[in-house]
Each structure stands twice: as C-alpha cells, then as structure tokens.
Amino acid sequence: MVTEHSEAVGDTSALALKILVAGGFGVGKTTLVGAVSEIRPLRTEELLSEAGQLVDDTDGVDQKVTTTVAMDFGRITIRSGLSLYLFGTPGQDRFWFLWDELSQGALGAVVLADTRRLEDCFPAVDYFEHRRIPFVVAVNCFAGARAYGAHDVLRALDLDRGTPVVLCDARDRDSGKEVLIRLVEYAGRMHTARLLDSVG
C-alpha cells in the first residue's frame, strides 16, 4: 500500500508504505513489530490451546504461550514524510488464507528466520518469490543458537542472487529499524528496475 495524505500541520505530502513481516511460528514477528512501532501495536494473540498442540510445532520455542491468529499492526516513521505500516502475518499454515489479503498493495516484506528452525521460513520465501514481492531475510539471532553468517543463510535458503540477508535482534528497536530501511531501499531498487524494464 503506497498512499499519500496531507499532514495535519502544513501542506506537505506524506508517503505511507505497507510492509509485511512474515516467517515461521515463534520466530519473533510480533516482537519485531512491537519493538519498532511508535504507536501501541495492535495484536491479535491468543493463548496456545491443547487442540493447537496437534498442529503447532513448539519445538525450540518451548516458552511460547501465545500465537498471532490474524495479524499484528504497527507504524514507524523512517524520516519526515515517510512512514511504514507494518503488518505481521500469522505463522501457522492454517492462517495462510489471510496472507493474500494482507499482501495486497505491499511494497515488500521482511521474512524473519531462526537458524535453529530455518526450514520454517521456506513457505514465506516461496510465497513472496512466486508473487514477485521484494523481501529481505532477517535472521533473528536468538541466544544459544549457533551463529551463521548472512552468506551461509543465503545459500541454505537458495535465494535469488541479490536478495538481502541481514542479522538482527527482533527485540531491539534500532536493529529492527535497520532491517526495515534495508527492505525499503531494496524494494525501491526492484520496483524501479521493473518499471524501467516495462518501458524499455
């Protein structure tokens, strides 16, 4: 979603960009949105239930007691006149019907990854690649997880050449903001290149 609206004060035009935050179950999507949002984030979390134990793989995220069932929403101003609206997607397969709605008009996406469960981000990577939505992979560096470099993750995920992979701490506002800036820069280059191809 790229929208323009007038500021309350003055007549300057402001740009609002829609960004998705995706990835596997328990990877830190809600944490990232909450850490960077300058407004109180909207959360649609529910307690994990016994019924969900049959379908939610909590291996490696044993301390997790809630899960997002619709979306998380937050907003961050990157600079004067540029705001990002963040939509955190639910991680489980059974909620993926929401992804098509949430992805409408998105500039790009952050795919959060956990190297302890790297395969959990494959579906999100596939989703954005097939829909040609620019994305960056942000490796959430959990305490106690084996450290891998960005190049190792890029190879393990078999990403298209040039897809950014960044290391981050989803709990840290500055770290999350750097991820979002990297995405905006990358998505801007991708959209410009496609525009030039279409008129060339």
Side-chain angles (χ1 to χ4, degrees), residues 24-190:
F25 176 68
V27 77
K29 300 178 294 294
T30 298
T31 301
L32 177 68
V33 172
V36 300
S37 182
E38 64 201 14
I39 61 171
R40 183 178 175 198
L42 166 70
R43 294 189 168 126
T44 57
E45 289 201 310
E46 294 293 336
L47 289 172
L48 291 173
S49 66
E50 285 186 32
Q53 289 176 351
L54 302 173
V55 289
D56 295 333
D57 179 10
T58 57
D59 188 37
V61 287
D62 306 336
Q63 305 302 314
K64 188 169 176 62
V65 295
T66 61
T67 186
T68 299
V69 295
M71 67 172 185
D72 298 313
F73 174 78
R75 185 189 73 214
I76 180 173
T77 302
I78 296 296
R79 60 171 168 73
S80 178
L82 176 60
S83 296
L84 304 182
Y85 291 155
L86 308 175
F87 292 81
T89 64
Q92 301 98 308
D93 302 7
R94 66 185 185 279
F95 296 123
W96 280 0
F97 66 91
L98 295 167
W99 283 39
D100 287 334
E101 289 293 326
L102 290 174
S103 66
Q104 290 294 318
L107 174 78
V110 173
V111 175
L112 270 177
D114 177 351
T115 57
R116 301 169 302 178
R117 300 157 50 113
L118 198 57
E119 67 281 358
D120 288 0
C121 74
F122 289 173
V125 167
D126 288 344
Y127 183 91
F128 297 122
E129 281 183 344
H130 286 129
R131 285 158 183 80
R132 300 185 72 219
I133 296 173
F135 67 94
V136 301
V137 173
V139 179
N140 194 5
C141 299
F142 287 91
R146 184 174 166 197
Y148 291 92
H151 188 68
D152 296 325
V153 174
L154 185 132
R155 278 193 333 210
L157 293 176
D158 193 27
L159 297 172
D160 291 340
R161 199 176 139 127
T163 302
V165 176
V166 294
L167 306 180
C168 75
D169 180 344
R171 302 165 300 179
D172 182 77
R173 187 175 199 276
D174 289 338
S175 181
K177 189 173 178 179
E178 283 302 314
V179 170
L180 295 171
I181 290 170
R182 190 80 179 272
L183 170 63
V184 170
E185 291 172 347
Y186 174 64
R189 289 194 305 271
M190 293 291 289

